[in-house]
Coordinates of all heavy atoms in Angstrom, one line a residue:
M1 N -9.0 12.6 -23.2 CA -8.0 13.1 -24.2 C -8.8 13.5 -25.7 O -8.6 14.4 -26.3 CB -6.9 12.1 -24.3 CG -5.8 12.7 -25.4 SD -4.9 14.1 -24.6 CE -3.7 14.3 -25.7
N2 N -9.6 12.6 -26.0 CA -10.3 12.6 -27.3 C -11.2 13.9 -27.3 O -11.2 14.6 -28.3 CB -11.1 11.5 -27.6 CG -11.8 11.4 -28.9 OD1 -11.3 12.0 -29.8 ND2 -12.7 10.5 -29.1
V3 N -11.9 14.3 -26.2 CA -12.8 15.4 -26.1 C -12.0 16.6 -26.3 O -12.2 17.6 -27.0 CB -13.4 15.3 -24.8 CG1 -14.4 16.6 -24.6 CG2 -14.4 14.1 -24.7
I4 N -10.8 16.7 -25.6 CA -9.9 18.0 -25.6 C -9.4 18.0 -27.1 O -9.4 19.2 -27.6 CB -8.7 17.7 -24.7 CG1 -9.3 17.7 -23.2 CG2 -7.8 18.8 -24.9 CD1 -8.2 17.4 -22.2
V5 N -9.0 17.1 -27.7 CA -8.5 17.2 -29.1 C -9.6 17.6 -30.0 O -9.4 18.4 -31.0 CB -7.9 15.9 -29.6 CG1 -7.5 16.0 -31.1 CG2 -6.6 15.5 -28.7
T6 N -10.8 17.1 -29.8 CA -12.0 17.4 -30.7 C -12.3 18.9 -30.5 O -12.6 19.6 -31.4 CB -13.3 16.7 -30.3 OG1 -12.8 15.2 -30.4 CG2 -14.4 16.9 -31.2
I7 N -12.4 19.4 -29.3 CA -12.6 20.8 -29.0 C -11.5 21.7 -29.7 O -11.8 22.7 -30.3 CB -12.6 21.2 -27.4 CG1 -13.9 20.5 -26.9 CG2 -12.6 22.6 -27.2 CD1 -14.0 20.5 -25.4
L8 N -10.2 21.3 -29.5 CA -9.1 21.9 -30.2 C -9.2 22.1 -31.6 O -9.1 23.2 -32.1 CB -7.7 21.3 -29.8 CG -6.5 21.9 -30.3 CD1 -6.2 23.3 -29.7 CD2 -5.3 21.1 -30.1
E9 N -9.6 21.1 -32.3 CA -9.7 21.1 -33.8 C -10.8 22.0 -34.1 O -10.7 22.9 -35.1 CB -9.8 19.7 -34.3 CG -11.3 19.1 -34.1 CD -11.4 17.6 -34.6 OE1 -10.5 16.9 -34.4 OE2 -12.4 17.4 -35.3
N10 N -12.0 22.0 -33.3 CA -13.0 22.8 -33.8 C -12.7 24.3 -33.5 O -13.0 25.2 -34.3 CB -14.3 22.4 -33.0 CG -14.9 21.2 -33.4 OD1 -14.8 20.8 -34.6 ND2 -15.5 20.4 -32.6
V11 N -11.9 24.6 -32.4 CA -11.5 26.0 -32.2 C -10.6 26.5 -33.3 O -10.6 27.5 -33.7 CB -10.9 26.1 -30.8 CG1 -10.2 27.4 -30.5 CG2 -12.0 25.9 -29.7
L12 N -9.6 25.7 -33.6 CA -8.7 26.0 -34.6 C -9.3 26.2 -36.0 O -9.0 27.3 -36.8 CB -7.6 24.9 -34.8 CG -6.5 24.9 -33.6 CD1 -5.7 23.6 -33.9 CD2 -5.7 26.2 -33.6
I13 N -10.3 25.4 -36.4 CA -10.8 25.5 -37.7 C -11.9 26.7 -37.7 O -11.7 27.5 -38.7 CB -11.6 24.2 -38.2 CG1 -10.6 23.1 -38.4 CG2 -12.6 24.5 -39.3 CD1 -11.3 21.7 -38.7
G14 N -12.5 27.0 -36.6 CA -13.5 28.1 -36.4 C -12.6 29.3 -36.5 O -13.0 30.3 -37.2
S15 N -11.5 29.5 -35.7 CA -10.7 30.6 -35.7 C -10.1 30.9 -37.0 O -10.0 32.1 -37.5 CB -9.6 30.5 -34.6 OG -10.1 30.3 -33.5
G16 N -9.7 29.8 -37.8 CA -9.1 30.1 -39.1 C -10.1 30.7 -40.1 O -9.9 31.5 -40.8
I17 N -11.4 30.2 -40.0 CA -12.5 30.7 -40.9 C -12.7 32.1 -40.5 O -13.0 32.9 -41.5 CB -13.6 29.8 -40.7 CG1 -13.4 28.3 -41.5 CG2 -14.9 30.4 -41.4 CD1 -14.4 27.4 -41.3
I18 N -12.7 32.4 -39.2 CA -13.1 33.9 -38.9 C -12.0 34.7 -39.4 O -12.2 35.8 -39.9 CB -13.3 33.8 -37.4 CG1 -14.6 33.2 -36.9 CG2 -13.2 35.3 -36.8 CD1 -14.7 33.0 -35.4
C19 N -10.7 34.4 -39.2 CA -9.6 35.1 -39.7 C -9.7 35.4 -41.2 O -9.4 36.4 -41.7 CB -8.3 34.5 -39.4 SG -7.9 34.7 -37.5
L20 N -10.1 34.3 -42.0 CA -10.1 34.4 -43.4 C -11.3 35.4 -43.7 O -11.2 36.3 -44.7 CB -10.5 33.0 -44.1 CG -9.2 32.1 -44.1 CD1 -9.6 30.7 -44.6 CD2 -8.1 32.6 -45.0
L21 N -12.4 35.3 -43.0 CA -13.5 36.1 -43.4 C -13.1 37.7 -43.0 O -13.6 38.5 -43.7 CB -14.8 35.8 -42.6 CG -15.4 34.5 -43.1 CD1 -16.6 34.0 -42.1 CD2 -16.0 34.6 -44.5
L22 N -12.2 37.8 -41.9 CA -11.9 39.1 -41.6 C -11.0 39.8 -42.7 O -11.2 40.9 -43.1 CB -11.2 39.2 -40.3 CG -10.6 40.4 -39.8 CD1 -11.7 41.5 -39.5 CD2 -9.6 40.3 -38.5
A23 N -10.1 38.9 -43.2 CA -9.3 39.4 -44.3 C -10.1 39.7 -45.5 O -9.8 40.8 -46.2 CB -8.2 38.3 -44.6
I24 N -11.0 39.0 -45.8 CA -11.9 39.2 -47.0 C -12.7 40.6 -46.8 O -12.9 41.3 -47.7 CB -12.7 38.0 -47.3 CG1 -12.0 36.8 -47.8 CG2 -14.0 38.4 -48.3 CD1 -12.7 35.6 -48.0
S25 N -13.3 40.6 -45.6 CA -14.1 41.8 -45.3 C -13.1 43.1 -45.3 O -13.6 44.2 -45.8 CB -14.9 41.8 -44.1 OG -14.0 41.7 -43.0
L26 N -11.9 43.1 -44.8 CA -11.0 44.1 -44.8 C -10.7 44.5 -46.4 O -10.7 45.7 -46.6 CB -9.8 43.8 -44.0 CG -9.9 43.8 -42.5 CD1 -8.6 43.4 -41.8 CD2 -10.3 45.2 -42.1
Y27 N -10.5 43.6 -47.2 CA -10.2 43.9 -48.5 C -11.4 44.4 -49.3 O -11.3 45.4 -50.1 CB -9.7 42.6 -49.3 CG -9.6 42.8 -50.7 CD1 -8.4 43.3 -51.2 CD2 -10.5 42.4 -51.7 CE1 -8.2 43.6 -52.6 CE2 -10.5 42.5 -53.0 CZ -9.3 43.2 -53.5 OH -9.0 43.3 -54.8
G28 N -12.5 43.9 -48.9 CA -13.7 44.5 -49.5 C -14.1 45.7 -49.2 O -14.5 46.6 -50.1
K29 N -13.8 46.1 -47.9 CA -14.0 47.5 -47.5 C -13.2 48.4 -48.1 O -13.4 49.7 -48.4 CB -13.9 47.6 -46.0 CG -15.2 46.9 -45.2 CD -15.1 47.0 -43.7 CE -16.2 46.3 -43.1 NZ -16.0 46.3 -41.6
R30 N -11.8 48.1 -48.2 CA -10.8 49.0 -48.6 C -10.9 49.3 -50.1 O -10.9 50.4 -50.6 CB -9.4 48.3 -48.4 CG -8.2 49.2 -48.9 CD -7.0 48.5 -48.6 NE -6.7 47.3 -49.2 CZ -6.1 47.1 -50.4 NH1 -5.8 48.1 -51.1 NH2 -6.0 45.8 -50.8
T31 N -11.4 48.2 -51.0 CA -11.3 48.4 -52.4 C -12.8 48.5 -53.1 O -12.9 48.9 -54.2 CB -10.7 47.3 -53.1 OG1 -11.5 46.1 -52.7 CG2 -9.3 47.1 -52.6
A32 N -13.8 48.2 -52.1 CA -15.2 48.2 -52.6 C -15.3 47.2 -53.8 O -16.3 47.3 -54.7 CB -15.7 49.5 -52.9
D33 N -14.4 46.2 -53.9 CA -14.6 45.1 -54.9 C -14.8 43.9 -54.3 O -13.9 43.1 -54.0 CB -13.2 45.1 -55.6 CG -13.2 44.0 -56.8 OD1 -14.4 43.7 -57.2 OD2 -12.1 43.6 -57.1
W34 N -16.1 43.5 -54.0 CA -16.6 42.4 -53.2 C -16.4 41.1 -54.2 O -16.1 40.0 -53.7 CB -17.9 42.5 -52.8 CG -17.9 43.5 -51.7 CD1 -18.3 44.8 -51.7 CD2 -17.5 43.3 -50.3 NE1 -18.3 45.4 -50.5 CE2 -17.7 44.6 -49.6 CE3 -17.0 42.2 -49.5 CZ2 -17.4 44.6 -48.3 CZ3 -16.7 42.4 -48.2 CH2 -16.9 43.7 -47.5
G35 N -16.5 41.3 -55.5 CA -16.2 40.2 -56.4 C -14.8 39.8 -56.4 O -14.5 38.5 -56.4
G36 N -13.8 40.6 -56.3 CA -12.4 40.4 -56.1 C -12.1 39.7 -54.8 O -11.2 38.9 -54.8
A37 N -12.9 40.1 -54.0 CA -12.6 39.4 -52.6 C -13.1 37.9 -52.6 O -12.4 37.0 -52.0 CB -13.6 40.1 -51.5
C38 N -14.1 37.5 -53.4 CA -14.3 36.2 -53.6 C -13.3 35.4 -54.4 O -13.3 34.2 -54.3 CB -15.7 36.0 -54.3 SG -17.1 36.8 -53.3
L39 N -12.5 36.1 -55.2 CA -11.5 35.5 -56.0 C -10.2 35.3 -55.4 O -9.2 35.0 -56.0 CB -11.3 36.3 -57.4 CG -12.4 36.3 -58.3 CD1 -12.1 37.2 -59.6 CD2 -12.8 34.9 -58.8
L40 N -10.2 35.7 -54.1 CA -8.9 35.7 -53.2 C -8.3 34.4 -53.3 O -7.1 34.2 -53.3 CB -9.4 36.0 -51.8 CG -8.3 36.1 -50.8 CD1 -7.3 37.2 -51.1 CD2 -8.7 36.4 -49.4
F41 N -9.1 33.2 -53.4 CA -8.4 32.0 -53.3 C -8.1 31.5 -54.7 O -7.4 30.4 -54.8 CB -9.4 30.9 -52.6 CG -9.9 31.4 -51.3 CD1 -11.1 32.0 -51.0 CD2 -8.9 31.3 -50.2 CE1 -11.4 32.3 -49.8 CE2 -9.2 31.6 -48.9 CZ -10.5 32.1 -48.7
V42 N -8.6 32.1 -55.7 CA -8.4 31.6 -57.0 C -7.2 32.4 -57.8 O -6.3 31.6 -58.3 CB -9.6 31.8 -58.0 CG1 -9.3 31.4 -59.3 CG2 -10.8 31.1 -57.3
K43 N -7.1 33.7 -57.7 CA -6.0 34.3 -58.3 C -5.3 35.3 -57.4 O -5.8 35.5 -56.2 CB -6.5 35.1 -59.5 CG -7.5 36.3 -59.2 CD -7.8 37.1 -60.4 CE -8.5 38.3 -60.1 NZ -8.7 39.1 -61.2
R44 N -4.2 35.7 -57.7 CA -3.5 36.6 -56.8 C -4.0 38.1 -56.8 O -4.1 38.6 -57.9 CB -2.1 36.8 -57.2 CG -1.0 37.2 -56.3 CD -0.9 36.2 -55.2 NE 0.0 36.6 -54.3 CZ 0.1 36.5 -52.9 NH1 -0.9 35.8 -52.3 NH2 0.9 37.0 -52.2
I45 N -4.4 38.7 -55.7 CA -4.8 40.1 -55.7 C -3.9 40.8 -54.7 O -3.3 40.3 -53.9 CB -6.3 40.2 -55.3 CG1 -6.5 39.5 -53.9 CG2 -7.2 39.6 -56.3 CD1 -8.0 39.7 -53.4
D46 N -3.9 42.0 -54.9 CA -3.1 43.0 -54.0 C -3.8 43.1 -52.7 O -4.8 43.9 -52.6 CB -2.9 44.2 -54.8 CG -2.0 44.2 -56.0 OD1 -1.2 43.2 -56.0 OD2 -2.3 44.9 -56.9
L47 N -3.1 42.6 -51.6 CA -3.5 42.7 -50.3 C -2.7 43.7 -49.5 O -1.5 43.9 -49.8 CB -3.5 41.4 -49.5 CG -4.5 40.3 -50.1 CD1 -4.2 39.0 -49.2 CD2 -5.9 40.6 -49.9
S48 N -3.3 44.5 -48.6 CA -2.5 45.4 -47.7 C -1.7 44.4 -46.8 O -2.0 43.2 -46.6 CB -3.3 46.3 -47.0 OG -4.2 45.7 -46.1
L49 N -0.9 45.0 -46.0 CA -0.2 44.2 -45.0 C -1.0 43.7 -44.0 O -0.9 42.4 -43.6 CB 0.9 45.1 -44.3 CG 1.9 44.5 -43.4 CD1 2.7 43.4 -44.1 CD2 2.8 45.5 -42.7
Q50 N -2.0 44.4 -43.6 CA -3.0 43.9 -42.5 C -3.8 42.7 -43.0 O -4.0 41.7 -42.3 CB -3.8 45.0 -41.9 CG -4.8 44.6 -40.8 CD -5.6 45.7 -40.3 OE1 -5.7 46.7 -41.0 NE2 -6.0 45.6 -39.2
E51 N -4.2 42.9 -44.3 CA -5.1 41.9 -44.8 C -4.3 40.7 -45.0 O -4.8 39.5 -44.9 CB -5.7 42.4 -46.1 CG -6.6 43.6 -46.0 CD -6.8 44.3 -47.3 OE1 -6.1 44.1 -48.3 OE2 -7.6 45.4 -47.3
H52 N -3.1 40.8 -45.5 CA -2.2 39.6 -45.7 C -2.0 38.8 -44.4 O -2.0 37.7 -44.5 CB -1.0 40.1 -46.4 CG 0.0 38.9 -46.9 ND1 -0.4 38.1 -47.9 CD2 1.1 38.5 -46.5 CE1 0.4 37.2 -48.0 NE2 1.5 37.4 -47.2
K53 N -1.7 39.7 -43.4 CA -1.4 39.0 -42.0 C -2.6 38.2 -41.7 O -2.5 36.9 -41.3 CB -1.2 40.1 -41.2 CG -0.9 39.6 -39.6 CD -0.8 40.7 -38.6 CE -2.1 41.3 -38.4 NZ -2.2 42.2 -37.3
W54 N -3.8 38.7 -41.7 CA -5.0 38.0 -41.3 C -5.2 36.8 -42.2 O -5.7 35.5 -41.7 CB -6.2 38.8 -41.3 CG -6.3 39.8 -40.0 CD1 -6.2 41.1 -40.0 CD2 -6.4 39.4 -38.6 NE1 -6.2 41.5 -38.8 CE2 -6.3 40.5 -38.0 CE3 -6.6 38.1 -38.1 CZ2 -6.5 40.5 -36.5 CZ3 -6.6 38.1 -36.7 CH2 -6.6 39.3 -36.0
Y55 N -5.1 36.9 -43.5 CA -5.2 35.9 -44.5 C -4.2 34.7 -44.2 O -4.7 33.5 -44.1 CB -4.9 36.4 -45.9 CG -4.9 35.3 -47.0 CD1 -6.2 34.8 -47.3 CD2 -3.8 34.8 -47.5 CE1 -6.3 33.8 -48.3 CE2 -3.9 33.7 -48.5 CZ -5.2 33.3 -48.9 OH -5.2 32.3 -49.8
R56 N -3.0 35.0 -43.9 CA -2.0 34.0 -43.5 C -2.3 33.3 -42.2 O -2.2 32.0 -42.1 CB -0.5 34.6 -43.6 CG -0.1 35.0 -44.9 CD 0.1 34.0 -45.9 NE 1.2 33.2 -45.5 CZ 1.6 32.2 -46.3 NH1 1.2 32.0 -47.4 NH2 2.6 31.4 -45.8
I57 N -2.7 34.0 -41.3 CA -3.1 33.5 -40.0 C -4.2 32.6 -40.1 O -4.3 31.5 -39.5 CB -3.4 34.6 -38.9 CG1 -2.1 35.3 -38.5 CG2 -4.1 33.9 -37.7 CD1 -2.3 36.5 -37.6
G58 N -5.3 32.9 -40.8 CA -6.4 32.2 -41.1 C -6.1 30.9 -41.8 O -6.6 29.8 -41.4
V59 N -5.4 30.9 -42.8 CA -4.9 29.7 -43.6 C -4.1 28.7 -42.7 O -4.4 27.6 -42.6 CB -4.2 30.1 -44.9 CG1 -3.5 28.8 -45.5 CG2 -5.2 30.7 -45.8
S60 N -3.3 29.4 -41.9 CA -2.5 28.5 -41.0 C -3.4 27.8 -39.9 O -3.1 26.6 -39.6 CB -1.3 29.3 -40.4 OG -0.5 29.9 -41.2
L61 N -4.1 28.5 -39.3 CA -5.1 28.0 -38.2 C -5.8 26.9 -38.8 O -6.1 25.9 -38.3 CB -5.8 29.0 -37.5 CG -5.1 30.0 -36.7 CD1 -6.1 31.1 -36.2 CD2 -4.5 29.2 -35.4
F62 N -6.4 27.1 -40.0 CA -7.3 26.2 -40.5 C -6.5 25.0 -41.0 O -7.0 23.8 -40.7 CB -8.0 26.8 -41.9 CG -9.0 26.0 -42.4 CD1 -10.3 26.0 -42.0 CD2 -8.8 25.1 -43.6 CE1 -11.3 25.2 -42.6 CE2 -9.7 24.3 -44.1 CZ -11.0 24.4 -43.6
F63 N -5.3 25.0 -41.5 CA -4.5 23.9 -41.8 C -4.2 23.1 -40.6 O -4.2 22.0 -40.6 CB -3.3 24.4 -42.5 CG -2.3 23.3 -43.1 CD1 -2.7 22.5 -44.0 CD2 -1.2 23.1 -42.4 CE1 -1.9 21.5 -44.5 CE2 -0.2 22.1 -42.8 CZ -0.8 21.2 -43.8
I64 N -3.8 23.9 -39.5 CA -3.5 23.1 -38.3 C -4.7 22.4 -37.8 O -4.5 21.3 -37.2 CB -2.8 24.1 -37.2 CG1 -1.4 24.7 -37.9 CG2 -2.7 23.3 -36.0 CD1 -0.8 25.8 -37.0
G65 N -5.8 23.0 -37.8 CA -7.1 22.3 -37.4 C -7.4 21.0 -38.2 O -7.8 20.1 -37.6
V66 N -7.1 21.1 -39.4 CA -7.4 19.9 -40.3 C -6.3 18.9 -39.9 O -6.7 17.6 -39.8 CB -7.2 20.3 -41.8 CG1 -7.2 19.1 -42.7 CG2 -8.5 21.1 -42.2
L67 N -5.0 19.4 -39.7 CA -4.0 18.3 -39.2 C -4.4 17.7 -37.9 O -4.3 16.5 -37.7 CB -2.7 18.9 -39.2 CG -2.0 19.3 -40.5 CD1 -0.6 19.9 -40.1 CD2 -1.8 18.0 -41.3
V68 N -4.9 18.4 -37.0 CA -5.4 17.8 -35.6 C -6.5 16.9 -35.9 O -6.5 15.9 -35.2 CB -5.6 19.1 -34.8 CG1 -6.3 18.5 -33.5 CG2 -4.4 19.8 -34.3
R69 N -7.4 17.2 -36.9 CA -8.6 16.4 -37.1 C -8.0 15.1 -37.7 O -8.6 14.0 -37.2 CB -9.5 17.1 -38.2 CG -10.5 16.3 -38.6 CD -11.6 16.2 -37.7 NE -12.7 15.3 -38.4 CZ -13.6 14.8 -37.7 NH1 -13.7 14.9 -36.3 NH2 -14.6 14.2 -38.2
I70 N -7.1 15.1 -38.6 CA -6.7 13.7 -39.2 C -5.9 12.9 -38.1 O -6.1 11.8 -38.0 CB -5.6 14.1 -40.3 CG1 -6.4 14.7 -41.5 CG2 -4.8 13.0 -40.7 CD1 -5.5 15.3 -42.6
L71 N -5.1 13.6 -37.2 CA -4.5 12.9 -36.1 C -5.5 12.4 -35.2 O -5.4 11.1 -34.6 CB -3.5 13.9 -35.3 CG -2.2 14.2 -36.1 CD1 -1.4 15.3 -35.3 CD2 -1.5 12.8 -36.3
N72 N -6.5 13.1 -34.9 CA -7.6 12.6 -34.0 C -8.3 11.5 -34.6 O -8.5 10.5 -33.8 CB -8.6 14.0 -33.7 CG -9.6 13.4 -32.6 OD1 -9.5 12.5 -31.9 ND2 -10.7 14.2 -32.7
L73 N -8.6 11.4 -35.9 CA -9.3 10.3 -36.4 C -8.3 9.1 -36.6 O -8.7 7.9 -36.5 CB -9.7 10.7 -37.7 CG -11.0 11.6 -37.8 CD1 -11.3 12.0 -39.3 CD2 -12.2 10.9 -37.2
T74 N -7.0 9.4 -36.7 CA -6.0 8.3 -36.8 C -5.8 7.6 -35.6 O -5.8 6.4 -35.5 CB -4.8 8.8 -37.4 OG1 -5.0 9.4 -38.7 CG2 -3.7 7.8 -37.6
L75 N -5.5 8.4 -34.4 CA -5.1 7.9 -33.2 C -6.3 7.4 -32.3 O -6.1 6.4 -31.6 CB -4.3 8.9 -32.4 CG -2.9 9.4 -33.0 CD1 -2.3 10.4 -32.2 CD2 -2.1 8.2 -33.3
W76 N -7.4 8.2 -32.4 CA -8.5 7.8 -31.5 C -9.8 7.5 -32.3 O -10.8 7.3 -31.7 CB -8.8 8.9 -30.5 CG -7.7 9.2 -29.6 CD1 -7.4 8.4 -28.5 CD2 -6.8 10.3 -29.6 NE1 -6.3 8.9 -27.9 CE2 -5.8 10.0 -28.5 CE3 -6.4 11.3 -30.4 CZ2 -4.8 10.8 -28.3 CZ3 -5.4 12.1 -30.1 CH2 -4.6 11.9 -29.0
G77 N -9.7 7.3 -33.5 CA -10.8 7.1 -34.5 C -11.5 5.9 -34.1 O -12.6 5.6 -34.2

C-alpha cells in the first residue's frame, strides 16, 4: 500500500507541475511577456480561459499531491 501511495503522490505532484508549466508557456506565447509569466504566482495577471483552466488544474493536482504526501508520512511514515 505504501508503494502505491508513493507512486500516486509523485504522479499528482508531477502532473501538477506540468500543468502549471503549460499554463505559463501558453501565457508567454500569447503575450510574449515571459517576465509576466514568472510573476503569475505573485500578482494577478490576465489569463485566457484555457490558461486559467490549466493553472487551476495544476494548482489542484499539486495541492492534492502534497496532501497525499502528508497522509503517507502520517499513516505509514
Side-chain angles (χ1 to χ4, degrees):
M1 182 69 172
N2 189 14
V3 174
I4 295 171
V5 174
T6 302
I7 292 171
L8 178 66
E9 75 184 42
N10 289 330
V11 167
L12 288 170
I13 291 173
S15 299
I17 290 172
I18 289 171
C19 290
L20 287 172
L21 291 175
L22 179 64
I24 290 170
S25 66
L26 288 172
Y27 174 79
K29 287 179 185 176
R30 181 177 58 89
T31 62
D33 180 21
W34 292 100
C38 295
L39 294 176
L40 179 67
F41 302 104
V42 178
K43 66 176 191 171
R44 197 74 177 142
I45 59 175
D46 294 326
L47 296 175
S48 71
L49 185 62
Q50 184 181 17
E51 295 160 358
H52 187 68
K53 177 186 74 170
W54 284 112
Y55 178 76
R56 298 295 289 184
I57 289 171
V59 169
S60 299
L61 286 174
F62 189 80
F63 182 72
I64 292 169
V66 170
L67 286 179
V68 170
R69 172 75 174 163
I70 292 170
L71 287 173
N72 187 16
L73 291 173
T74 303
L75 298 177
W76 293 285

